[in-house]
Amino acid sequence: MSDVAEDRNVNRTSTGISDVVLGYVMQYIHDPKDRDAVSLVCRKWYELEARTRKHVTIALCYSTSPDRLRRRFGNLESLKLKGKPRAAMFNLIPEDWGGYATPWVREIAESFNFLDSLQFRRMIVKDSDLELLTRSRGRVLLTLKLDKCSGFTTDGLLHIGRSCRNLKTLFLEESSIIEKDGEWLHELALNNTVLETLNFYLTELVQVKFEDLELIARNCSSLVSVKISDQEILDLLGFFRTATALEEFCGGSFNEQPEKYTVVSLPPKLCRLGLTYMGKTEMPIVFPFASQLKKLDLLYALLDAEDHSMLIQRCPNLEVLETRNVIGDRGLEVLAQSCKRLKRLRIERGADEQEMEDEEGLVSQRGLIALAQGCLELEYLAVYVSDITNASLEHIGSYSKNLCDFRLVLLDREERITDLPLDNGVRALLRGCEKLRRFALYVRPGGLSDVGLSYIGQYSQNVRWMFLGSVGESDAGLLEFSRGCPSLQKLEMRSCCFSERALAAAVMQLTSLRYLWVQGYRASTTGRHLLAMARPFWNIELIPARRVTLDQHEGGRRS
C-alpha cells in the first residue's frame, strides 16, 4: 500500500494536481490572459504552460527578442507579430523606423519546428526573408499573412507560390508590394490544391491573369474567400462559374458600358461581398442574392445616400457593413429598419473627399439615434460624424448593450456643433456599454472638458485600448483620467493640450499600461520631464518633428 501511495504522489505540483491532469486541462485554456494567470501560479505551472502554448501575439516586435520567444515557447504552432505602431498607417512614423522581420524569420527557420501559421503586421519583409521562410517551413506552412507590410516584391511571392503547396491562407491585404510580373500567382495556381483564402485586396498587384484565378478555383475545391485588386469584372466570369464554393469576394473594377454587366452571375454561396467602384448602374447584379448577404463592403463603391438605402433594404440578414459617411442619416435609418442582425458597422470619411456630400449624405446624431434603437445586436461601431449630441451617445449607452468596440471621430466640416461638450453623453455611453473593451474618441477643442475626461477614467473599467484626440482642457483633466482605467494597456493620444510632466505622471498612475503613443502635446525642448516615467522595463522614444501629409482624424480607421 505504501508503494501505491508513493506512486500517487509522483509528478504532482504544489497544488496537488498531477502533471498529466494539468496537461489535459491546459488544452482547454486558450485565452492569453488566462494562460498568463496560470503561468504565475508556480514554476511548475510556468514551465508546463510554456510547453503547451500553441499561439502567441507580440503587439510590438521590440518588446521582446526572437531568442527569448524560442526559449520560453519552443512548441509554438502560430505566431502573430506586429511591427510599426498603428500611427504608421497615417504617415506619422518614418518609413525607416524599423519593424524588420529578418531576425524573426531567421529564428523561425532555425528553431520553431511546429510552426504552421505566421502573421506579420506593419513590418518590413524582404524577398530574402520569404525565400528563407519558404525553404525552411514551406512544406508545412498553412497560413501566411503579410498585413500592411512592405519591403518585398513579387519575386518573394514567387517563392511562396512554388514552395508552399499546403498553404490554405495567403493574405497580402494593403501591403506595399513592388510588382515585377504576375508569375507568382501562376505558380500558386499550378502547385496548390488546398487553398481556402487568397487576399491581395488594396494592393498594386495588377499584372495577375484571370486565367490563373480560374485555375486556382478549378484546382482548389475548398476556396471560400478571394479578395483581389482592380481586375475587370467581365474578365472574371469564368472564375465566378468555377468557384462554386466561394463565400466571399472583394475587389474588381467596372470599366465597360453598364449594359455589358447584365451577364455577370456571382457564385451561389456568396454571402460576403465588396465590389470596388460599383455604381448605381452596376448595383442590380447584387440584387438576386442580396437577401443572403451577411457582409457588405461599400468603402470603394460609387454610391450616394439613395443608392445605399436601395441596396441595404434588400439585405435583411446583414451582419457587417463597411461604407463611407455618404450613407447619410437616411441610409442609417434604413439600415436600422432593415438589418436587425447587424453586429459590425464601420463608416469612414469619404463624402467630402469625393464631392458626393449633400444634406442626405452626412452622418449626425439623427442617424446614430436610429441605429442604436434599431440594431440592438451591435458589437462594433466606428463612425465619422459631422454633428453630434449628448443625447445620441446616451441612446447608444441605453440600447447597445453588446457593444465591445466604439470609435467616433467628429469632423471639422461644420463650424458649429449642436451640443458640446460631450461629457454627459460619454459618461452615459461608458456606463451603459459594460462590455466595452476598445474605445476611441476624436473631437475638437471644447468637445470634451476635463470633467468628461475624468468620466472616461471613472467608467472605463474594462477598456484595454483607447484612442483620444483633442480631449480635455488642462493637465488636471489628464491626471484625473489616469486615476481610473484599471484595465487600460494601450493608450494613443493626438492633438491634446497636456504637458510632458502631466503625461509622465499619468503613465505612473495607469497601473496596467504597457504602451503609450502621443502626438501633439506641450513638449519641452529637451524632453527632460518625460524622465519621470523612465523605468528599466520601459522603452521611450522621441521622434523628431517633420513635415508630413496626413489625414486630420483617424479614430475610425481600421486597426
Side-chain angles (χ1 to χ4, degrees):
M1 292 295 292
S2 61
D3 291 341
V4 174
E6 185 176 345
D7 289 342
R8 287 175 178 172
N9 290 324
V10 171
N11 292 329
R12 288 186 180 273
T13 67
S14 58
T15 60
I17 303 175
S18 73
D19 289 356
V20 175
V21 172
L22 186 58
Y24 281 116
V25 172
M26 284 289 189
Q27 298 177 24
Y28 298 96
I29 303 176
H30 304 292
D31 185 272
K33 293 191 72 175
D34 293 338
R35 280 269 178 175
D36 290 343
V38 165
S39 69
L40 296 175
V41 172
C42 63
R43 167 60 65 175
K44 195 78 172 180
W45 284 37
Y46 174 90
E47 293 174 350
L48 185 58
E49 191 282 322
R51 288 199 305 271
T52 57
R53 180 80 73 107
K54 301 302 182 185
H55 173 76
V56 165
T57 295
I58 299 176
L60 181 62
C61 63
Y62 293 114
S63 62
T64 187
S65 68
D67 180 63
R68 282 191 65 187
L69 180 69
R70 173 191 56 79
R71 283 188 279 115
R72 181 170 180 185
F73 301 115
N75 297 324
L76 282 183
E77 297 176 2
S78 173
L79 174 63
K80 180 178 180 179
L81 192 63
K82 299 181 182 181
K84 297 177 184 178
R86 215 173 58 93
M89 295 161 58
F90 314 102
N91 201 23
L92 296 173
I93 300 292
E95 174 61 27
D96 59 354
W97 176 86
Y100 293 94
T102 299
W104 295 93
V105 171
R106 288 174 180 167
E107 193 67 65
I108 289 168
E110 293 175 6
S111 308
F112 288 92
N113 296 324
F114 301 101
L115 195 76
D116 60 25
S117 177
L118 180 62
Q119 178 176 357
F120 291 132
R121 183 174 174 88
R122 293 192 297 268
M123 297 192 71
I124 297 176
V125 182
K126 299 178 180 179
D127 287 343
S128 57
D129 297 329
L130 296 177
E131 182 180 9
L132 177 59
L133 183 65
T134 55
R135 190 168 64 243
S136 60
R137 308 297 305 155
R139 289 177 297 176
V140 298
L141 204 61
L142 302 180
T143 299
L144 178 60
K145 295 185 178 182
L146 306 178
D147 184 7
K148 301 178 179 67
C149 291
S150 61
F152 61 102
T153 74
T154 49
D155 288 346
L157 298 182
L158 193 59
H159 295 296
I160 297 172
R162 287 174 175 168
S163 302
C164 300
R165 296 173 181 264
N166 294 308
L167 196 66
K168 294 184 177 181
T169 297
L170 178 59
F171 182 104
L172 307 170
E173 186 166 327
E174 289 192 64
S175 287
S176 298
I177 307 167
I178 298 174
E179 185 176 42
K180 295 184 177 180
D181 54 45
E183 188 64 21
W184 68 275
L185 188 66
H186 184 65
E187 288 293 327
L188 187 69
L190 291 175
N191 294 309
N192 192 300
T193 59
V194 296
L195 197 66
E196 298 174 1
T197 298
L198 173 63
N199 185 336
F200 53 98
Y201 190 47
L202 302 179
T203 68
E204 298 297 324
L205 299 177
V206 296
Q207 295 186 42
V208 298
K209 296 179 180 179
F210 63 86
E211 294 92 345
D212 291 329
L213 289 172
E214 288 184 31
L215 184 56
I216 289 175
R218 190 176 303 114
N219 292 341
C220 303
S221 59
S222 299
L223 190 69
V224 294
S225 175
V226 172
K227 302 177 73 173
I228 64 175
S229 52
D230 299 346
Q231 275 74 43
E232 169 57 52
I233 288 292
L234 292 176
D235 291 337
L236 301 177
L237 297 182
F239 166 74
F240 289 142
R241 283 194 299 269
T242 307
T244 54
L246 200 67
E247 298 176 6
E248 179 176 35
F249 177 80
C250 279
S253 62
F254 297 87
N255 304 303
E256 300 292 339
Q257 295 301 313
E259 59 271 13
K260 292 187 177 182
Y261 294 99
T262 57
V263 300
V264 176
S265 178
L266 298 172
K269 295 184 179 180
L270 205 66
C271 58
R272 301 186 299 276
L273 178 66
L275 294 176
T276 312
Y277 311 126
M278 178 180 68
K280 183 175 183 177
T281 53
E282 294 87 23
M283 199 165 55
I285 69 175
V286 182
F287 291 166
F289 63 96
S291 61
Q292 70 188 49
L293 287 179
K294 294 182 178 180
K295 179 180 179 180
L296 189 57
D297 182 349
L298 300 177
L299 282 170
Y300 303 98
L302 305 177
L303 305 178
D304 60 20
E306 181 182 349
D307 301 331
H308 275 81
S309 299
M310 186 185 306
L311 179 56
I312 288 170
Q313 66 186 359
R314 299 170 183 262
C315 305
N317 294 308
L318 204 62
E319 297 178 2
V320 180
L321 175 63
E322 298 183 351
T323 185
R324 294 170 293 110
N325 56 349
V326 71
I327 187 175
D329 288 334
R330 175 57 187 152
L332 288 183
E333 289 170 343
V334 172
L335 184 68
Q337 294 165 4
S338 307
C339 305
K340 299 300 182 181
R341 299 180 182 181
L342 193 71
K343 290 181 171 59
R344 294 177 62 89
L345 175 62
R346 175 179 164 216
I347 302 176
E348 287 280 5
R349 180 179 187 172
D352 53 342
E353 294 174 349
Q354 298 194 18
E355 300 181 353
M356 297 179 69
E357 75 272 25
D358 52 46
E359 291 183 1
E360 292 297 319
L362 295 173
V363 174
S364 72
Q365 59 273 6
R366 172 185 147 199
L368 292 184
I369 290 173
L371 182 71
Q373 292 175 329
C375 300
L376 302 182
E377 297 184 20
L378 205 62
E379 299 174 1
Y380 171 96
L381 174 60
V383 56
Y384 282 74
V385 298
S386 296
D387 198 6
I388 190 71
T389 61
N390 281 280
S392 60
L393 298 179
E394 291 166 3
H395 272 76
I396 294 173
S398 297
Y399 291 96
S400 302
K401 296 302 181 181
N402 291 321
L403 200 64
C404 302
D405 193 331
F406 175 80
R407 312 180 190 199
L408 183 142
V409 176
L410 177 59
L411 295 170
D412 55 5
R413 181 180 184 274
E414 302 295 330
E415 184 175 338
R416 180 181 176 277
I417 301 302
T418 302
D419 185 16
L420 294 181
L422 297 172
D423 300 353
N424 293 332
V426 167
R427 176 178 59 178
L429 185 148
L430 291 170
R431 291 179 67 179
C433 302
E434 296 180 353
K435 296 182 180 180
L436 210 61
R437 297 296 182 268
R438 297 170 70 86
F439 177 77
L441 183 69
Y442 199 136
V443 285
R444 60 173 65 178
L448 193 77
S449 72
D450 282 348
V451 173
L453 196 52
S454 72
Y455 288 156
I456 294 179
Q458 183 178 354
Y459 296 109
S460 298
Q461 294 297 306
N462 300 312
V463 175
R464 299 177 186 175
W465 172 86
M466 193 176 293
F467 174 89
L468 301 173
S470 294
V471 299
E473 302 166 295
S474 67
D475 287 351
L478 179 63
L479 295 176
E480 195 62 34
F481 159 83
S482 65
R483 292 188 177 96
C485 298
S487 304
L488 189 62
Q489 296 180 351
K490 297 184 70 173
L491 174 61
E492 303 177 28
M493 293 191 292
R494 278 184 64 183
S495 304
C496 295
C497 59
F498 313 124
S499 67
E500 285 181 359
R501 195 184 302 274
L503 287 170
V507 166
M508 301 314 297
Q509 291 190 140
L510 292 165
T511 54
S512 297
L513 196 67
R514 298 180 181 178
Y515 175 88
L516 171 69
W517 182 85
V518 183
Q519 183 262 335
Y521 62 97
R522 286 192 283 126
S524 68
T525 54
T526 61
R528 64 186 185 279
H529 297 307
L530 294 176
L531 293 176
M533 66 178 177
R535 295 294 184 273
F537 50 86
W538 270 90
N539 293 325
I540 302 176
E541 179 179 6
L542 293 176
I543 300 177
R546 61 197 179 95
R547 198 177 288 273
V548 297
T549 302
L550 51 86
D551 290 335
Q552 181 175 355
H553 303 300
E554 49 101 349
R557 289 289 295 272
R558 183 181 308 181
S559 68

